[in-house]
């Protein structure tokens, strides 16, 4: 699921090069290309989440199985307290299983706004599975260099549906169409979340943001770091993985 | 002369009955309201201290700043050392670590799937140590509606209202879903052993009470607690010793830049408590003043009527040579006697009602159905030593003031006119 977080944030890029002499794409085209890069088939990944709290930092690692936009299954591997906790997302439903209680609980309603494992990410952030182009109007707000890469700055405004953030600002790599920075705003214009990519690597002919910091602007602390340790694309994932029964296994 | 005047008052009731009744009624109301406010104040402080605030409270500086959000990630750590230090430094006080927390209570069906789920306002207190006074402070035995108190780890009490809503019976298993000190999701199974009703709307809706050690385990708060409450051994809150304890504790050498340094505060420093306590004290003073004023006006008016009615009597007394000052003074003495008699009767009646309210109370929970403020729904009066004398202030002062003002007419009488007046 942690890895799914990276994907839901639109943080996987497939190498995508625009040819020389092409005219500058429109905001809509940039967003569509960034969206297309965000999700790719199936993947199995082991990732690490380092939560920098006000008091100390702690690390949580997890293995995720992801199929498209709708299905994901995560098992937490460490630390000992979190080991064995599992999460299953099927469409707009989310369940969590705790081995200590041997209970499977559906996460819904206001629980979706709670922090995932104490990180700066909420379950609602995890549940985002629609492409940005479906939810937001886009316009180019400028250009900027991020991570030594020229980027377009897109200003996204909600089309009015049920979205967690009324507006967003995203920085998209001009060549790779990889999202390198993002800010998420409330309807009032207040900054709620900030995301900064720290490094991008190329794996299996895809550009992947393998390290990023996600920060809840309303929380104190230094934010949450996400790091991908291993990732395998287009892996075969048995169907039973994405079932409630697999939570108890 | 006193005996003479007293006979006059008792035998000529038309002269004394109305002022007497006014004084008695005013004093009765003053005493009853004073006791009622004292009862409300005592209940308010007792409930506040026992349920939430203690007489003093220790927490981290960071927690104190955001206390309304119940931020357990900012809780006190190194709890056992800190409690030992407090017990050593303040041997006359009792110290009780507590954890307040929010979460969801999930009730499973036979397959282990969620059947019902509802929000819970949790409180972790020391329920299982035999010497712990926490069950007594929370009046858990009195509040118990069904089942029994927790006797082992993994057992909890639920508010009766919540148990009914979630259809949980004593003996059934539930799962608490909360947030650990580190912010992760926490899940722990508990067996409900009983249900409680406190008569406090905010608690009666969603209260979940568990042993401190269980809550520490569930929320990953090893040797940590949100707060340590301090209580004076006799259970009565006193501002000066509380202030002294706070000054001493906060003067300890600590790093002022450490957000997690322990700090202490008094009950009065709790949000809203100081204001409420001051307001209640002011209200008692205002009630006494208002009755004093109202009775003085009524008695002044009664005195004027009496003076008019006794116009002939005063004229005769002046005509036969009685000094105006003497007539005025006897009138004042009379009013003093009426004031004393009225105050005694009013105080006796007021105390009788107050003692009744002290024992029985008035249940107004029906009026607070939609109020979430943590306050007792059964208000009781409290009779204090002051209750015995508080009524004499307005009772005697009002009659004296009323008569003194009305009696001034005596000095306006012209001796030369007296016989003419008497002839007519």
């Amino acid at each position: 699921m942690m890895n799914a977080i990276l994907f839901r944030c639109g943080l996987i890029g497939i190498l995508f090069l625009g040819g020389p002499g092409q005219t500058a794409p429109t905001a809509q085209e940039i967003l569509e290309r960034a969206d297309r890069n965000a999700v790719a088939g199936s993947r199995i990944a082991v990732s690490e989440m380092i939560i920098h709290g006000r008091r100390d930092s702690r690390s949580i690692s997890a293995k995720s199985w992801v199929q498209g936009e709708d299905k994901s299954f995560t098992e937490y591997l460490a630390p000992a307290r979190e080991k064995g906790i599992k999460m299953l997302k099927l469409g707009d439903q989310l369940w969590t299983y705790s081995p200590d209680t041997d209970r499977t609980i559906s996460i819904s309603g206001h629980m979706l706004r709670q922090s995932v494992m104490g990180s700066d990410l909420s379950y609602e952030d995890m549940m985002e599975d629609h492409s940005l182009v479906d939810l937001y109007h886009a316009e180019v707000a400028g250009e900027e260099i991020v991570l030594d890469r020229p980027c377009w700055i897109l200003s996204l405004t909600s089309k009015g549906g049920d979205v967690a953030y009324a507006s967003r600002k995203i920085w998209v790599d001009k060549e790779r169409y990889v999202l390198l920075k993002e800010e998420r705003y409330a309807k009032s214009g207040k900054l709620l979340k900030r995301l900064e990519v720290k490094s991008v690597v190329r794996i299996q002919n895809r550009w992947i943001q393998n390290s990023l910091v996600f920060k809840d602007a309303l929380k104190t602390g230094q934010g949450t770091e996400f790091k991908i340790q291993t990732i395998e694309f287009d892996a075969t994932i048995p169907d039973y993985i994405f079932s409630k029964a697999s939570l108890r296994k | 002369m006193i005996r003479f005047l007293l006979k006059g008052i008792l035998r000529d009731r038309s002269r004394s009955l109305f002022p007497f009744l006014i004084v008695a009624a005013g004093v009765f109301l003053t005493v009853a309201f004073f006791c009622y406010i004292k009862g409300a104040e005592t209940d308010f402080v007792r409930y506040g201290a026992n349920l939430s605030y203690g007489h003093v409270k220790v927490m981290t500086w960071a927690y104190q700043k955001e206390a309304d959000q119940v931020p357990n990630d900012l809780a006190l750590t190194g709890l056992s050392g800190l409690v030992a230090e407090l017990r050593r430094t303040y041997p006359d006080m009792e110290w009780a670590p507590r954890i307040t927390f929010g979460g969801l209570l999930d009730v499973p069906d036979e397959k282990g799937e969620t059947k019902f789920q509802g929000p819970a306002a949790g409180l972790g207190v020391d329920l299982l140590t035999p010497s712990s006074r926490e069950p007594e402070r929370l009046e858990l035995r009195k509040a118990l509606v069904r089942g029994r108190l927790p006797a082992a780890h993994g057992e909890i009490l639920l508010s009766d209202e919540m148990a009914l809503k979630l259809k949980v019976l004593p003996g059934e298993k539930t799962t608490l879903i909360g947030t650990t000190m580190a912010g992760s999701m926490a899940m722990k199974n508990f067996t409900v052993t009983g249900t409680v009703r406190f008569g406090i709307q905010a608690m009666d809706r969603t209260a979940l009470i568990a042993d401190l050690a269980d809550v520490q385990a569930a929320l990953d708060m090893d040797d940590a607690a949100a707060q340590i409450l301090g209580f004076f051994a006799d259970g009565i809150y006193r501002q000066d010793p509380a202030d002294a304890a706070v000054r001493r504790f906060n003067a300890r050498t600590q790093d002022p830049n450490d957000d997690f340094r322990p700090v202490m505060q008094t009950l009065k420093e709790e949000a809203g408590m100081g204001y409420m306590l001051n307001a209640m004290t002011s209200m008692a003073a205002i009630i006494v003043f208002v009755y004093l004023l109202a009775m003085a006006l009524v008695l002044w008016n009664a005195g004027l009527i009496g003076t008019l009615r006794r116009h002939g009597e005063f004229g005769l007394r002046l005509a036969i040579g009685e000094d105006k000052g003497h007539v005025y003074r006897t009138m004042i003495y009379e009013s003093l006697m009426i004031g004393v008699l009225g105050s005694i009767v009013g105080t006796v009646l007021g105390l009788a009602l107050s003692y009744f309210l002290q024992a029985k109370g008035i249940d107004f929970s029906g009026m607070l159905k939609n109020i979430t403020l943590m306050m007792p729904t059964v208000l009781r009066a409290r009779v204090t030593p002051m209750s015995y004398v508080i009524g004499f202030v307005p009772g005697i002062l009002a009659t004296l003031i009323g008569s003194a003002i009305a009696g001034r007419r005596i000095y306006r009488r012209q001796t030369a006119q007296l016989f003419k007046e008497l002839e007519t």
Side-chain angles (χ1 to χ4, degrees), chain A residues 57-69:
Chain A
S57 295
R58 62 202 183 93
S59 169
I60 297 173
S61 62
K63 186 171 184 180
S64 304
W65 292 257
V66 181
Q67 182 82 58
E69 291 184 346

Side-chain angles (χ1 to χ4, degrees), chain A residues 1 3-5 7-10 31-32 34-43 65-73 88-94 125-135 237 242:
Chain A
M1 189 72 64
N3 189 240
I5 293 161
F7 286 79
R8 291 294 160 257
C9 297
L31 194 59
E32 279 170 12
D35 263 350
R36 277 205 299 273
N37 294 341
V39 179
S42 64
R43 58 192 175 267
W65 292 257
V66 181
Q67 182 82 58
E69 291 184 346
D70 289 338
K71 295 177 181 177
S72 72
F73 182 88
L88 171 67
K89 175 182 175 287
L90 294 176
D92 59 355
Q93 289 187 293
L94 184 65
D125 290 323
M126 284 175 60
M127 295 295 286
E128 283 197 316
D129 57 5
H130 293 284
S131 58
L132 293 174
V133 78
D134 291 340
L135 302 173
I237 304 173
F242 303 110

Side-chain angles (χ1 to χ4, degrees), chain A residues 54-55 58 60 81-82 85 96 98 100-107 110-111 114-115 117-118 123 244 248, chain B residues 62 66 73-75 104 106 108 112-113 175 177 181-185 187-189 217-218 220 259-260:
Chain A
R54 196 164 161 183
R55 223 165 195 155
R58 62 202 183 93
I60 297 173
R81 190 180 170 86
E82 270 80 19
I85 294 176
T96 183
S98 136
D100 288 346
T101 58
D102 193 28
R103 290 287 316 276
T104 301
I105 304 280
S106 167
I107 297 178
H110 77 277
M111 279 178 77
Q114 290 200 349
S115 151
M117 296 290 167
Y123 291 102
K244 280 171 78 178
R248 282 171 181 262
Chain B
E66 300 172 25
D73 55 325
L74 309 177
L104 283 175
D106 189 280
E113 302 275 324
T175 303
I177 306 164
M181 192 173 167
S184 292
M185 180 183 284
M187 286 168 70
K188 188 167 171 63
N189 288 339
D220 199 14
D259 287 357
F260 300 102

Side-chain angles (χ1 to χ4, degrees), chain B residues 7 46 118 132 168 195 235 279 346 381:
Chain B
K7 276 184 180 174
R46 185 168 55 83
S132 171
V168 183
T195 66

Side-chain angles (χ1 to χ4, degrees), chain A:
Chain A
M1 189 72 64
M2 254 160 48
N3 189 240
I5 293 161
L6 297 166
F7 286 79
R8 291 294 160 257
C9 297
L11 296 175
I12 285 257
I14 303 168
L15 180 61
F16 192 97
L17 298 172
Q22 279 186 333
T23 55
T26 64
Q28 196 68 13
E29 285 167 347
I30 296 167
L31 194 59
E32 279 170 12
R33 286 179 176 185
D35 263 350
R36 277 205 299 273
N37 294 341
V39 179
S42 64
R43 58 192 175 267
I44 301 171
V46 175
S47 56
E48 185 186 19
M49 181 162 72
I50 303 160
I51 301 159
H52 299 288
R54 196 164 161 183
R55 223 165 195 155
D56 51 19
S57 295
R58 62 202 183 93
S59 169
I60 297 173
S61 62
K63 186 171 184 180
S64 304
W65 292 257
V66 181
Q67 182 82 58
E69 291 184 346
D70 289 338
K71 295 177 181 177
S72 72
F73 182 88
T74 299
E75 179 173 1
Y76 288 87
L77 307 173
R81 190 180 170 86
E82 270 80 19
K83 189 176 178 182
I85 294 176
K86 294 167 189 167
M87 285 190 183
L88 171 67
K89 175 182 175 287
L90 294 176
D92 59 355
Q93 289 187 293
L94 184 65
W95 292 273
T96 183
Y97 171 79
S98 136
D100 288 346
T101 58
D102 193 28
R103 290 287 316 276
T104 301
I105 304 280
S106 167
I107 297 178
S108 57
H110 77 277
M111 279 178 77
L112 289 169
R113 297 202 171 153
Q114 290 200 349
S115 151
V116 178
M117 296 290 167
S119 71
D120 290 58
L121 205 84
S122 68
Y123 291 102
E124 205 166 45
D125 290 323
M126 284 175 60
M127 295 295 286
E128 283 197 316
D129 57 5
H130 293 284
S131 58
L132 293 174
V133 78
D134 291 340
L135 302 173
Y136 294 93
H137 295 293
E139 64 180 59
V140 177
E143 296 178 14
E144 200 175 290
I145 302 291
V146 178
L147 281 178
D148 296 327
R149 305 280 308 168
C151 291
W152 282 296
I153 306 172
L154 295 191
S155 183
L156 310 183
T157 315
S158 165
K159 288 180 175 174
D162 184 20
V163 290
Y165 305 97
S167 62
R168 299 175 187 232
K169 201 187 265 190
I170 60 173
W171 282 253
V172 181
D173 188 314
K174 281 186 173 182
E175 268 188 279
R176 300 167 179 167
Y177 286 86
V178 179
L179 192 150
L180 296 181
K181 190 175 164 186
E182 182 179 353
E183 289 173 351
R184 302 177 180 185
Y185 296 89
K187 203 171 182 179
S188 63
K190 190 178 177 67
L191 176 65
L192 297 177
K193 301 274 170 73
R194 188 186 296 118
L195 181 155
E196 283 180 28
V197 173
K198 294 297 177 189
S199 68
V200 178
V201 292
R202 199 174 172 195
I203 297 174
Q204 286 181 252
N205 210 29
R206 299 165 196 267
W207 286 105
I208 302 167
Q209 304 94 323
N210 67 334
S211 174
L212 66 91
V213 175
F214 197 85
K215 175 80 181 79
D216 184 335
L218 305 180
K219 280 172 77 171
T220 50
Q222 303 300 311
T224 301
E225 271 183 74
F226 292 95
K227 289 180 178 174
I228 293 179
Q229 291 172 330
T230 62
I231 188 161
E232 182 189 350
F233 288 104
D234 301 322
T236 307
I237 304 173
D239 279 346
Y240 75 83
I241 289 281
F242 303 110
S243 68
K244 280 171 78 178
S246 67
L247 287 167
R248 282 171 181 262
K249 282 184 181 169

